[in-house]
Amino acid sequence: MTTHDDTTSPERHNWDSLRERLERERAELVDQLELPADDLHAVTATTGQGETEHIVSEVEQRVQAVLDAAAVERLAELNDALRRLDDGTYGICERCGKPIPMARLEALPQVRLCIECQEVEDAQLRR
């Protein structure tokens, strides 16, 4: 397996800023996910007693569940990127083993694949 040696990389300073960005986003997601559902409901739901208010509340709860699921998935991606930073494999494509360009990492710091391999994976998913 190819690894990335942080200590010899000319882009070492970029790893630090990317780590900070990943950790900041992870902390924000953790805070978001720990907000009690009652607080979310109180902030967003209509407070009436009628059928319309009940439907609006139910829809808001379903939307929040979808948002929470997306946040949990995003959190897993961020944790995986931080693990790769720790074990020295960050910035290396998991499919072909080539370095992922810094511009791609800066745009999507959690990315696991180079552009070419991502395109192949996307094409396979579309089939």
Side-chain angles (χ1 to χ4, degrees), residues 1-97:
M1 171 187 281
T2 305
T3 61
H4 190 307
D5 182 359
D6 283 9
T7 60
T8 61
S9 171
E11 299 167 337
R12 170 78 172 124
H13 67 282
N14 289 334
W15 289 157
D16 292 339
S17 70
L18 289 172
R19 176 183 292 280
E20 290 171 9
R21 186 171 155 198
L22 289 163
E23 288 174 346
R24 185 175 45 252
E25 188 171 343
R26 179 177 63 177
E28 290 170 3
L29 280 173
V30 167
D31 287 346
Q32 174 188 335
L33 290 169
E34 289 180 351
L35 185 62
D38 290 343
D39 290 349
L40 291 170
H41 181 73
V43 170
T44 61
T46 309
T47 57
Q49 296 290 331
E51 185 176 332
T52 302
E53 288 81 8
H54 176 71
I55 292 170
V56 168
S57 176
E58 184 177 324
V59 168
E60 287 173 347
Q61 289 173 357
R62 288 181 183 179
V63 167
Q64 189 59 49
V66 169
L67 292 174
D68 287 348
V72 167
E73 183 176 330
R74 178 79 174 136
L75 185 59
E77 291 174 348
L78 295 169
N79 284 333
D80 185 55
L82 288 164
R83 177 199 51 80
R84 286 180 280 127
L85 270 165
D86 290 340
D87 70 19
T89 60
Y90 183 79
I92 304 298
C93 179
E94 291 181 358
R95 181 174 252 180
C96 70

